[in-house]
């Protein structure tokens, strides 16, 4: 009975920690001297991703976020040039489970058994840079990273969420 409880508790802890570690990470930074109020239009300069299907998905997500912030998209020559780079990377995680703690160390005793498993997964990262089209100076950078799903629908949903999080505080307050 006690071992069953420990096993269930260990499983719950592992799932909670795994979910927390797989959560999307979003970061932004910007030029503190830039006057973001003067920028009214944007155009895409370049979208680079290993999978060509993602080019239009990235454009769509960024366009939705920026138009919601009051900017207008133009085919070329916008006040802001948007460059986006998407990439994936294979990572591994080692999880070690201990059981049979049984009262700690003692002479001739054991601490317990350990089992280590390896999980291989894909992490996707999207970096979005926005440049002043006239000066070519970097104005703003956002990045979002998260675990890639085997389901395209989930990845598209995560892309949209990540881009929305990136632009949540855009334009930056001076």
């Amino acid at each position: 009975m006690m071992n069953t409880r420990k096993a269930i508790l260990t499983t719950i802890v592992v799932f909670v920690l795994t979910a927390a570690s797989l959560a999307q990470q979003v970061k932004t930074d910007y030029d503190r001297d830039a006057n973001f109020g003067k920028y009214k239009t944007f155009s895409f300069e370049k979208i680079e991703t290993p999978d060509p299907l993602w080019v239009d998905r990235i454009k769509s997500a960024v366009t939705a976020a920026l138009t919601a912030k009051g900017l207008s998209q133009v085919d070329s020559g916008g006040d802001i040039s948007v460059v986006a780079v998407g990439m994936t990377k294979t990572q591994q995680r080692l999880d070690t489970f201990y059981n049979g703690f049984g009262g700690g160390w003692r002479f001739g005793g054991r601490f317990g058994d350990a089992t280590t498993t390896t999980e291989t997964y894909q992490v996707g990262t999207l970096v979005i840079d926005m440049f002043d089209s006239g000066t070519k100076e970097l104005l703003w950078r956002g990045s979002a990273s998260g675990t890639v799903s085997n389901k395209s629908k989930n990845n598209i949903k995560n892309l949209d969420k990540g881009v929305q999080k990136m632009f949540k505080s855009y334009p930056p307050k001076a």
Side-chain angles (χ1 to χ4, degrees):
M1 183 74 161
M2 194 65 151
N3 284 337
T4 303
R5 284 185 184 170
K6 283 183 184 179
I8 291 171
L9 182 60
T10 301
T11 302
I12 290 171
V13 169
V14 167
F15 281 124
V16 169
L17 292 175
T18 300
S21 70
L22 300 179
Q24 204 170 52
Q25 293 183 346
V26 175
K27 299 175 188 172
T28 60
D29 198 3
Y30 61 96
D31 179 351
R32 302 297 196 256
D33 296 326
N35 175 9
F36 286 90
K38 73 177 188 176
Y39 300 106
K40 305 295 181 201
T41 61
F42 70 95
S43 55
F44 289 96
E45 186 73 26
K46 183 166 92 171
I47 308 275
E48 198 174 295
T49 177
D51 184 348
L53 292 173
W54 282 91
V55 171
D56 286 338
R57 294 170 184 166
I58 292 168
K59 280 184 178 181
S60 177
V62 172
T63 299
L66 289 177
T67 56
K69 295 295 185 170
L71 287 122
S72 300
Q73 181 184 4
V74 295
D75 290 336
S76 63
D79 301 329
I80 293 174
S81 296
V82 178
V83 175
V85 178
M87 63 205 91
T88 58
K89 180 180 177 183
T90 301
Q91 293 191 343
Q92 288 187 332
R93 179 177 46 241
L94 299 175
D95 292 317
T96 303
F97 305 97
Y98 297 95
N99 59 13
F101 284 96
W105 291 100
R106 58 187 177 271
F107 182 74
R110 293 181 16 186
F111 190 73
D113 295 322
T115 303
T116 300
T117 58
T118 304
E119 179 186 357
T120 301
Y121 59 99
Q122 290 285 109
V123 173
T125 301
L126 176 65
V127 177
I128 299 173
D129 288 336
M130 297 194 325
F131 295 89
D132 180 302
S133 295
T135 66
K136 307 295 185 208
E137 296 283 328
L138 180 63
L139 297 170
W140 184 93
R141 171 173 284 167
S143 67
S145 294
T147 302
V148 176
S149 172
N150 291 330
K151 297 180 181 178
S152 178
K153 186 176 182 178
N154 291 346
N155 292 329
I156 294 167
K157 184 177 168 183
N158 287 334
L159 167 69
D160 292 338
K161 280 184 184 178
V163 170
Q164 289 300 318
K165 284 182 186 178
M166 268 191 244
F167 287 101
K168 182 179 180 181
S169 298
Y170 184 89
K173 307 279 189 259

